[in-house]
Amino acid sequence: QLAPTLSDDDIRFCCLIKINVNMQDLSDIYCVSKAAITKRKYRLKTEKFNIDDSTINLDTILQEIN
């Protein structure tokens, strides 16, 4: 409901973040660099969740969702 445009892969990625999978493990799972994970988190936050506030990150947003 919060972000209806999320793809299935976006939802899986967000679930991994929600269960506190660290940056290194995310980069290993997706076979990409840590920079690519950081960019993906930023794109999800700004494009899918429509949050432009630079003081809050995607991890915090997802942890607050029940």
Side-chain angles (χ1 to χ4, degrees):
Q1 292 174 352
L2 184 61
T5 60
L6 288 175
S7 69
D8 287 344
D9 192 47
D10 291 338
I11 293 170
R12 280 188 215 95
F13 183 76
C14 289
C15 287
L16 290 172
I17 293 170
K18 180 137 175 91
I19 62 169
N20 293 319
V21 174
N22 67 34
M23 184 78 75
Q24 180 62 53
D25 291 340
L26 285 171
S27 66
D28 291 344
I29 290 167
Y30 285 95
C31 299
V32 295
S33 67
K34 289 182 184 180
I37 297 295
T38 302
K39 288 176 188 174
R40 183 171 186 180
K41 284 182 174 185
Y42 178 78
R43 280 195 307 274
L44 280 170
K45 182 181 92 166
T46 58
E47 295 173 13
K48 304 285 182 156
F49 288 95
N50 296 318
I51 298 173
D52 293 328
D53 185 355
S54 61
T55 62
I56 191 167
N57 62 23
L58 183 63
D59 298 47
T60 305
I61 295 165
L62 295 173
Q63 292 305 324
E64 292 175 356
I65 296 173
N66 290 330

